[in-house]
Amino acid sequence: MAPRPRALRTLLAALVVTSVALPLAGAVRPAAVPAPAPTALAPLDSATPAALDARYRAARDGIRAAERMATGHGDRRRAAALRTMAGTGRHFLSFDGRDGGRTAEVVGDLAHADRIAVLVPGSDTSLDKYGRFRAGAQALQGEMGPRSAVVAWLGYPTPATGSAGSLTTGRADRAAPQLDVFIRELSAAKPGARTAVLCHSYGSVVCARAAPELRADTLVLYGSPGTGAHDVGQLRTRAVVWAGRASGDWIADVPHLRLPLLVTTVGFGTDPVSTAFGARVFDAGTGGHSDYLKPGSRSLRAIALIASGQSPTEEHRHA
């Protein structure tokens, strides 16, 4: 469906505003909190309890080193967050505190899991806003139940909502190879496990860019502004592709277009929950853009079923 003229004007106005505001904002933004370079780790090729424990210890050491540097820098908020992340019972496969942070945290018993879900976040996710991302992973693992593990993969610098970066595929293009490598290592470590990659908001653009090489059984796109692909066929993936959008999600008002400009293309094209896109569509309930993994929600239940290799009981398609 062609975008409404008013919606198109709104998008163009937003582009003008962000193109002017972002350079100014960058000029006055405080310096990033420094963090040490992480210790180089060998590829994850085993998920035995001993191998995972060694990996978790190495990541914990890195988090504590970043905490000390944040404390020395005078950023008590970041230091407190890192102190929490290094606590007993937290399990990170990797950690890099630089440039907003890169992490891969395991919720559940990865060594004995036969169903694995990897969460790929959208805009505005960083170490300073990590709590909500982890809470979603916890809720999903609780819904999936025993012998499941959820990995909260913050493997790229996410764009700010409404920024120029959130309207183009640039960050997703750079993130996709990192996601491919991570899923490939995870598959090698857990060759018999079922793997679902769950992609929220701008994260669905990352997943779409990675899709041709992604070793996943299932891709789930939720709260998606589009993927940059015209339809499922253009993703060139063997994974089963699902899509869902809650009725209270503001992302529904984003125009589904691809607008070529002088040096880039803005927008992500076909609505993933439309018949034209061709994904299997699930009922995501009535929540808002950040509510898909909210405990007790219809969307959480549906996503957990899909990640476990089952179909939601109430599948439907949007026009």
Side-chain angles (χ1 to χ4, degrees):
M1 182 175 66
R4 297 186 298 275
R6 181 178 178 183
L8 181 56
R9 288 197 301 271
T10 299
L11 178 62
L12 292 174
L15 285 173
V16 172
V17 170
T18 53
S19 67
V20 174
L22 284 178
L24 295 176
V28 298
R29 187 174 55 192
V33 181
T39 302
L41 298 174
L44 178 68
D45 58 6
S46 173
T48 64
L52 289 175
D53 284 346
R55 187 88 171 208
Y56 297 154
R57 284 196 302 273
R60 188 174 296 112
D61 289 344
I63 296 170
R64 287 172 175 161
E67 178 200 340
R68 291 191 293 271
M69 189 169 284
T71 299
H73 184 67
D75 194 314
R76 291 181 292 179
R77 179 183 176 187
R78 174 68 65 82
L82 292 170
R83 195 174 306 117
T84 299
M85 294 174 79
T88 303
R90 302 291 292 268
H91 299 131
F92 288 85
L93 292 170
S94 62
F95 174 83
D96 183 347
R98 299 172 298 177
D99 190 25
R102 311 283 188 279
T103 68
E105 183 176 9
V106 176
V107 178
D109 183 357
L110 182 59
H112 299 101
D114 53 26
R115 290 164 295 127
I116 302 170
V118 178
L119 297 182
V120 180
S123 302
D124 295 320
T125 308
S126 66
L127 293 183
D128 292 328
K129 299 181 179 180
Y130 186 77
R132 186 172 64 190
F133 186 41
R134 181 174 187 261
Q138 291 177 299
L140 179 61
Q141 197 278 327
E143 189 70 34
M144 291 177 68
R147 299 192 66 83
S148 71
V150 176
V151 181
W153 182 83
L154 174 56
Y156 75 109
T158 66
T161 299
S163 68
S166 71
L167 300 173
T168 67
T169 65
R171 294 207 182 195
D173 291 334
R174 293 187 289 275
Q178 305 304 316
L179 179 60
D180 277 329
V181 168
F182 179 76
I183 298 298
R184 188 177 302 116
E185 290 186 12
L186 190 61
S187 297
K190 296 288 297 181
R194 177 180 183 83
T195 302
V197 181
L198 315 181
C199 319
H200 178 235
S201 193
Y202 187 86
S204 63
V205 186
V206 176
C207 291
R209 289 333 225 198
E213 303 297 329
L214 208 57
R215 296 183 181 180
D217 299 288
T218 307
L219 286 179
V220 184
L221 316 174
Y222 55 103
S224 174
T227 65
H230 177 70
D231 54 29
V232 166
Q234 284 194 352
L235 297 180
R236 294 182 288 118
T237 178
R238 295 181 179 179
V240 177
V241 181
W242 288 83
R245 184 173 63 227
S247 62
D249 190 344
W250 58 262
I251 205 79
D253 295 325
V254 172
H256 296 287
L257 52 80
R258 295 273 286 161
L259 183 63
L261 299 178
L262 289 177
V263 295
T264 190
T265 297
V266 171
F268 306 111
T270 312
D271 185 350
V273 300
S274 68
T275 302
F277 189 74
R280 299 184 183 184
V281 177
F282 65 92
D283 186 346
T286 61
H289 189 63
S290 300
D291 297 334
Y292 288 91
L293 300 181
K294 184 176 180 179
S297 65
R298 179 177 293 178
S299 53
L300 175 64
R301 178 60 177 162
I303 291 170
L305 285 170
I306 294 168
S308 297
Q310 303 176 55
S311 295
T313 57
E314 295 183 19
E315 182 183 350
H316 73 289
R317 287 192 175 275
H318 291 253

